[in-house]
Amino acid sequence: MAPGTQRPAPASGSVVLGVDVGTSSTKGVLVAPDGEVLATAVREHQVSRPAPGHVEVDAGIWWEEFLGIARELGSAALARGSRIAAIGVSGMGPCVLLVDEDDAPVRPAILYGVDTRAEAQIRALDARLGPEEILRRSGCSLTAQAAGPKILWVAQKEPERYALARRLLMPSSFLVRRLTGAYVLDHASAAQVAPLYDIAARDWHAPWAEAAAPGLDLPRLLWADEVAGHVLPGVAAALPGVPAGTPVLAGTIDAWAEAVSGGVRAPGDLMLMYGTTTFLLAMTPQPVPSRHLFPTPGTTEGTSMLTGGMAASGAITTWLRDLLSAPDVGELVADAALSPPGAHGLLVLPYFSGERSPLADPEARGVVAGLTLSHGRGDLYRAVLEAAAYGVRHHLEELRAQGCAISRTVALGGGTRTGLWPQIVADVTGLAQELPRVTIGASYGDAMLAAARVLGADVSSWNPVQRRCEPDPATRERYDALYGLYRELYPATRSISHALARMQEEDSPAPRI
C-alpha cells in the first residue's frame, strides 16, 4: 500500500496508530484490530554529517513529524467514525539524545553505529572497566553501536552542554515523554547503552553509570509492549482522533519492532531487514554473549535476541542513484537484473560508513575492485547489492558460530519491494526467505504490539507469508568463489583504507561544537 493512501474501513470501532522514526523518514500506519491497514503517512528528513564519523539529527524533527502524521491519521480515523485506542512507537537506535531539566535537547541526537566518533571513549572505558568484564556483564564488546561511549564523548568534548543534561532519550522514548510525561526506556534499547546495562540482571548497573554517564538520571525500564503512560490532555487537544488518556506503549528500536511485524518470535527465527542499513535479528533461547554481534532482550518479557547490522547498504544504492543522476531507481534495478551474477567481475566492499558488525571498524571504507571501461551502471548497481549480500553471509557465519540455529528467515523492509535484492541474498547465502504480505515495517509492528496489549487482539494472523524467495543453485559456485574473494579484500586493503580515513578526517572541517 503506497504511503499516503487509504482504503475503506468499517464505519466505527477502535483502531491503533503505529509510528516509527527512521534514519531517512518517519512512517505512520493506522490499523484495524484485524490487522487491516487503513491509512499510511510518511514524512522524509535527512541526517547531518558535520564531521567524518559524526551522524546527527535535530530531535525536534521527530516530534514535528510525529505530530503531522498523528494529525493526518487521526483525522482519517475520525472520518471513519473510529478513534485511536492505542499508540505504539519505535525509532532508529540506539541513539543518544540528552535533554535538560525541561526536556529540551542540549545538542542534536547522536545516531547509532553509523556514528563512530567515540573511539577514544571506547578505549578509555575498556581500560577503566576491563573488556572481559564488560563482555561478561553487558554481553557485548564496546563498539560504535554502544551508546555509553557516546554519552561520555559529550561529557568530555562538550562539557558546557553536558552540564545541562539530565535525561537520556531515544526516538521512541522521546515520543513517549512528549506524549505522556513518562520517562522510560525499553530493555532492548537499554541493552545497547553498553556498558551501563547488565544483560543477565536485565537492569541498569549503577556502579558503571558514573563511568560513562556521570550525573544522568537513567530511565525506568519497561518491556516494549508495556503501557508507559497515557496521552496528556494538552497534547490530545492538538491531535484529532486521539483522546486524552489514550495508552502509549514503551516502544523500542525500529529493527525490533520490524521483527514483530514479520512474526519473528521463536528461537530459530531470523529477521533480515533490507533498509538504509541491513540488519539481522535472530531469536535465541537465552542471552548469547558475543564479541562481534549485539545480544539484547527481545520486545516481550522472557525473550532474547542476537543481532548484527551493517553500517550502510540501502544508503549506498541511494548514493549511487544520486551520483548517476538516475531518474528512477527502477531503471537501475532493471539494468542490474541484466548483469550476471558477479556483475561481470566487480566486487564491492560496502563499508562506505565504516562497518558496525562483525568487523567493528569505523575506519573501514568502501572499495570497488575490478572496474574496467566496459562496465556499465547496471554492473555497478548489482555489485553494490551483492556486497550487501556478502555482508549478510558474513553475519550468518558469526551467528552460527555463536550456536544460533536458523530454521526460518523473514525478509522485511523497503529493499524487498523489487525482488532482485532478496534474490541476490538468497543466491549468495543459500538462505530461503519468507516475504510477508505487509512490508510496511516497524510502524506496523508498533501497531501490532499496541493492538495485542490494549485491545487484546490476536495478531498472530495479521501478516501471513505472501511468497518465498528460494536460492538458485546454479549461482552457488560462482558466489562461493566471489565470497571468498570478498573476505580476502578487506584485510588486503585495510591499512590503505585506514590511511585514507585519517586523511579524510584531516581534510574535513572541525565538528561544530
Side-chain angles (χ1 to χ4, degrees):
M1 190 170 176
T5 61
Q6 302 180 17
R7 65 174 59 162
S12 63
S14 297
V15 294
V16 293
L17 173 66
V19 178
D20 173 66
V21 179
T23 305
S24 56
S25 67
T26 299
K27 300 181 178 68
V29 60
L30 192 70
V31 185
D34 63 357
E36 181 184 9
V37 176
L38 306 176
T40 62
V42 176
R43 302 290 188 274
E44 295 185 351
H45 56 249
Q46 293 183 335
V47 299
S48 172
R49 300 177 185 271
H54 292 218
V55 190
E56 306 178 343
V57 67
D58 175 6
I61 293 172
W62 302 343
W63 183 239
E64 292 170 8
E65 293 184 341
F66 175 86
L67 289 176
I69 286 172
R71 287 169 181 150
E72 180 178 337
L73 297 182
S75 297
L78 286 178
R80 294 175 166 83
S82 301
R83 68 179 184 89
I84 292 174
I87 299 174
V89 293
S90 62
M92 57 185 169
C95 297
V96 171
L97 173 63
L98 301 177
V99 299
D100 64 16
E101 190 62 43
D102 298 319
D103 293 325
V106 303
R107 68 168 331 280
I110 301 173
L111 267 60
Y112 49 96
V114 297
D115 184 293
T116 59
R117 73 182 68 196
E119 284 300 296
Q121 287 70 33
I122 289 172
R123 291 192 295 270
L125 287 169
D126 275 341
R128 179 174 179 179
L129 305 176
E132 292 303 318
E133 183 63 14
I134 292 172
L135 178 66
R136 186 188 71 81
R137 188 171 297 280
S138 299
C140 63
S141 298
L142 293 183
T143 68
Q145 184 75 356
K150 295 174 184 179
I151 299 171
L152 186 59
W153 184 94
V154 180
Q156 294 179 344
K157 297 294 185 179
E158 301 175 351
E160 293 182 359
R161 287 175 167 175
Y162 191 80
L164 301 173
R166 294 294 179 271
R167 302 182 187 94
L168 167 67
L169 297 170
M170 296 191 190
S172 57
S173 60
F174 177 73
L175 296 181
V176 169
R177 181 72 170 170
R178 290 288 179 96
L179 285 165
T180 73
Y183 180 40
V184 302
L185 189 66
D186 71 289
H187 284 274
S189 300
Q192 296 178 75
V193 191
L196 277 66
Y197 184 85
D198 188 320
I199 197 166
R202 302 207 164 182
D203 200 358
W204 297 117
H205 183 55
W208 284 2
E210 283 301 305
L216 279 190
D217 176 21
L218 296 177
R220 180 167 59 99
L221 296 176
L222 295 176
W223 295 96
D225 67 336
E226 289 188 88
V227 173
H230 299 81
V231 175
L232 298 168
V235 176
L239 298 177
V242 181
T246 300
V248 180
L249 270 60
T252 189
I253 293 175
D254 51 7
W256 281 249
E258 189 136 12
V260 170
S261 79
V264 176
R265 60 176 68 91
D269 286 355
L270 172 73
M271 182 202 72
L272 181 52
M273 185 180 78
Y274 297 79
T276 304
T277 66
T278 296
F279 205 83
L280 294 89
L281 186 155
M283 301 296 299
T284 59
Q286 62 276 323
V288 179
S290 175
R291 297 182 188 277
H292 305 298
L293 301 174
F294 320 127
T296 77
T299 53
T300 57
E301 189 170 4
T303 57
S304 298
M305 301 174 173
L306 186 58
T307 71
M310 299 169 64
S313 51
I316 305 174
T317 65
T318 301
W319 167 83
L320 186 58
R321 179 198 66 197
D322 294 343
L323 190 68
L324 297 173
S325 300
D328 180 19
V329 69
E331 292 185 14
L332 289 174
V333 172
D335 289 348
L338 296 175
S339 181
H344 289 115
L346 280 187
L347 192 60
V348 171
L349 291 183
Y351 310 143
F352 284 48
S353 295
E355 188 55 302
R356 285 193 282 177
S357 60
L359 300 179
D361 184 357
E363 291 191 332
R365 290 296 181 264
V367 173
V368 182
L371 270 175
T372 71
L373 294 175
S374 63
H375 284 110
R377 68 178 190 177
D379 299 318
L380 191 55
Y381 198 82
R382 184 182 186 98
V384 166
L385 297 180
E386 290 177 338
Y390 300 138
V392 170
R393 183 165 169 175
H394 192 180
H395 276 85
L396 291 173
E397 290 179 352
E398 289 289 336
L399 286 168
R400 288 169 175 142
Q402 296 293 131
C404 291
I406 298 167
S407 55
R408 172 176 172 260
T409 301
V410 179
L412 294 160
T416 64
R417 295 193 186 107
T418 66
L420 178 61
W421 195 1
Q423 186 60 58
I424 288 174
V425 170
D427 293 344
V428 167
T429 64
L431 201 67
Q433 300 160 74
E434 296 178 358
L435 284 81
R437 180 181 62 193
V438 178
T439 59
I440 291 171
S443 58
Y444 193 66
D446 299 330
M448 271 187 169
L449 291 174
R453 170 65 70 168
V454 177
L455 302 183
D458 179 6
V459 299
S460 61
S461 60
W462 268 29
N463 200 11
V465 175
Q466 186 175 52
R467 64 185 178 91
R468 284 176 59 87
C469 182
E470 300 284 350
D472 179 359
T475 66
R476 190 56 191 259
E477 184 176 353
R478 176 78 164 175
Y479 278 133
D480 283 349
L482 286 163
Y483 178 67
L485 295 174
Y486 170 86
R487 292 298 302 273
E488 290 179 24
L489 188 57
Y490 166 70
T493 58
R494 178 170 47 203
S495 61
I496 297 173
S497 290
H498 286 186
L500 293 174
R502 289 189 288 272
M503 287 184 185
Q504 291 163 3
E505 187 169 357
E506 292 168 359
D507 292 345
S508 297
R512 295 189 297 272
I513 302 298

